[in-house]
Structures are given as C-alpha cells and as structure tokens.
Amino acid sequence: MPHPSLGAAPQDLTAGFPAAAERLRAARSRLGARALEVALELDPSLATRHGELGLRKLLRDTEPLIDRLAIAVAASDRTAVAAWADWVAPLYRRRRTPMDDLIHICEGLKQAVPAVLAPEERVIALDALDEAIRILRWNRRIAGDARKRNRILDAIYKGA
C-alpha cells in the first residue's frame, strides 16, 4: 500500500468501483450482522466462548473490516483488507480471541457481500477477503491458535 510520506502517490479511490464502496458502507451494519450469523453457523462454540458481550464486540469490529473492504473495492486494491488483518492480530491476541473466529467472520462476509455488489465488483471484494484469510491463517500459526492450549504451558508462559 503506497504511503505519501515515503514519496509514493496516495491511493486513487476512484480506480475501482467507488459507487460499490458507498453501497458497502451504507449496508455495513446489515452485512456485519449477517457475517456474524454465518460465523455462528460455522462454529456454534463461538457463542459459548465469547458470551453476549464478546459477540457484541465482534459485531462492532466488523464495521472497520467492512470499511477496509470498501476501500479495497473503491481503489481496486486487494491488499487493503489484508493490511487490516495484519494490524488487528495483536489486538485479538490480547483479547485471547482465536484467529479462527476472525476467519469465520471473513467467510461470513464472503457470503453476505453478493447481496450488495454486482458480479464484477464482487471479484475484488472476494479476492481481498481471501487475502485477509491467508494473513489470519498465518497469524494463527504463530501462537498456536489452531489447537487447544495446554494449561500447563499456558501457566509457564504467564510466569505462574
């Protein structure tokens, strides 16, 4: 992603589909709710692990994700959502939220986005979400999110 302070030109938000980006922003609460529903269908344990407050936080966090998706569609930049996925990984580590939960939300967005976007606009959005899922899977392997944590090793790492 170009950065103006490094001498690169800023992103051209008219290079892709700016009208589609506005439709995404207008429907972000509906898309976020649908993405969370799909995530709950994919992994029913998500509701018991997070509780009502955790699910509300995940729903709230879908809005910046959809904003980044709108930037990706407007600028025709498939890396915009992947950069978001890389930025939020440490935040979810602190919350002790597995990256798989974010992957499920991205999969839910992949199912929700076709209701708002036309087929040619959808290609960029789905590619951007696939790239974000790839980054989240890579971040998942760092802390062992793919498997259940060992209580003894967890206690040792905490220094208990």
Side-chain angles (χ1 to χ4, degrees):
M1 188 175 301
H3 198 281
S5 67
L6 298 177
Q11 276 186 327
D12 182 15
L13 296 179
T14 60
F17 301 98
E22 288 304 316
R23 287 195 311 271
L24 278 173
R25 286 186 188 102
R28 85 177 130 206
S29 61
R30 186 180 52 156
L31 290 174
R34 179 63 186 140
L36 189 59
E37 287 175 10
V38 172
L40 287 169
E41 289 172 7
L42 291 173
D43 185 10
S45 70
L46 195 118
T48 57
R49 282 186 287 117
H50 291 286
E52 185 179 346
L53 181 64
L55 290 177
R56 286 184 187 192
K57 285 181 180 179
L58 284 175
L59 181 61
R60 177 197 66 197
D61 292 345
T62 59
E63 291 189 9
L65 172 58
I66 294 170
D67 283 338
R68 294 301 295 186
L69 185 61
I71 290 171
V73 170
S76 189
D77 178 21
R78 291 168 171 83
T79 62
V81 184
W84 175 87
D86 204 24
W87 296 335
V88 299
L91 299 173
Y92 284 101
R93 293 255 178 267
R94 266 185 252 130
R95 286 191 204 168
R96 304 194 53 83
T97 301
M99 294 294 115
D100 285 339
D101 295 349
L102 292 177
I103 291 170
H104 292 319
I105 288 175
C106 287
E107 292 289 342
L109 269 178
K110 283 173 67 172
Q111 291 184 17
V113 160
V116 178
L117 298 178
E120 62 273 359
E121 301 161 345
R122 212 177 295 157
V123 172
I124 295 170
L126 296 180
D127 286 347
L129 287 169
D130 284 337
E131 185 66 20
I133 289 171
R134 187 186 66 76
I135 296 292
L136 290 170
R137 283 197 177 122
W138 185 83
N139 280 322
R140 176 182 70 180
R141 75 173 178 84
I142 292 173
D145 279 336
R147 61 187 176 277
K148 189 174 179 176
R149 291 191 172 116
N150 185 333
R151 291 182 300 161
I152 296 170
L153 290 177
D154 202 25
I156 291 171
Y157 290 139
K158 283 184 180 177

